[in-house]
Amino acid sequence: MNQGRYTVLPTEPVTVFLIGLHINKWYKIHQWLPVLLAMPPMLSELSKDKSLGCLSFEMLFKYRGVMVVQYWETNDQLLSYAKMPVHLKAWRKFSKKLKNNEAVGFYHETYNVDTHQYENIYINMPDFGLGQARSLSQVNKHSNTAKQRLRK
């Protein structure tokens, strides 16, 4: 737990990758659960090998679905990981289970965020989100407001 106010200063670019699924037909668990279970091997690999470029991720459970927010050092590392063996194997299995499967939907979004184009605040929080991916700084008179944190 980080007591007080903390921020990650926007001094480095970051790639934010959102990936998730939406359960269209919750009662067809035999169709959507295998799709959901394709994700853990990839997350496990990313947790164990930081050289792949995934700085951190958060898994969020929402009504009728799951979303994983990933923070990457660079877009190139994200795209490179997509071609690696563990990912390709999981992706092929995942894609096969999605084909002709109206019980579950899938999405991903990628955002490449340059320096000074993001800001954040964490108050009395454990390391979370970008605050887990990058180094936290205690808020001071120069980083007290969102406008100050976004200043170049």
Side-chain angles (χ1 to χ4, degrees):
M1 173 77 85
N2 300 304
Q3 294 290 331
R5 299 176 72 219
Y6 288 84
T7 189
V8 175
L9 297 173
T11 58
E12 299 176 79
V14 65
T15 295
V16 181
F17 183 64
L18 309 179
I19 185 168
L21 61 87
H22 179 81
I23 300 167
N24 297 320
K25 297 187 177 181
W26 60 267
Y27 54 90
K28 293 192 174 190
I29 191 169
H30 65 285
Q31 288 184 307
W32 60 258
L33 186 60
V35 175
L36 176 65
L37 294 177
M39 184 64 92
M42 293 178 279
L43 295 177
S44 177
E45 180 181 48
L46 292 172
S47 292
K48 292 176 185 170
D49 188 353
K50 291 299 177 186
S51 72
L52 296 172
C54 183
L55 299 167
S56 73
F57 63 84
E58 300 287 342
M59 182 176 280
L60 308 169
F61 296 90
K62 55 192 204 98
Y63 176 70
R64 295 189 116 173
V66 175
M67 179 171 67
V68 180
V69 180
Q70 298 177 350
Y71 299 91
W72 287 79
E73 286 184 46
T74 68
N75 188 57
D76 288 343
Q77 287 173 300
L78 170 62
L79 295 174
S80 177
Y81 178 71
K83 296 174 185 171
M84 294 183 73
V86 171
H87 179 268
L88 278 177
K89 181 179 177 184
W91 178 253
R92 286 184 184 120
K93 183 178 175 181
F94 184 79
S95 293
K96 192 181 232 183
K97 293 184 185 310
L98 270 175
K99 192 173 184 175
N100 301 318
N101 184 349
E102 62 184 26
V104 65
F106 165 81
Y107 62 91
H108 84 245
E109 300 176 2
T110 307
Y111 302 94
N112 294 310
V113 189
D114 207 355
T115 57
H116 302 288
Q117 298 299 311
Y118 59 90
E119 77 82 30
N120 50 80
I121 190 79
Y122 304 97
I123 302 170
N124 300 330
M125 285 285 295
D127 291 346
F128 176 83
L130 196 56
Q132 186 174 7
R134 299 273 193 214
S135 298
L136 285 169
S137 300
Q138 197 151 25
V139 171
N140 60 40
K141 67 180 183 178
H142 303 291
S143 61
N144 194 41
T145 67
K147 186 176 180 179
Q148 288 172 319
R149 291 188 294 275
L150 284 167
R151 201 174 283 149
K152 289 183 182 183

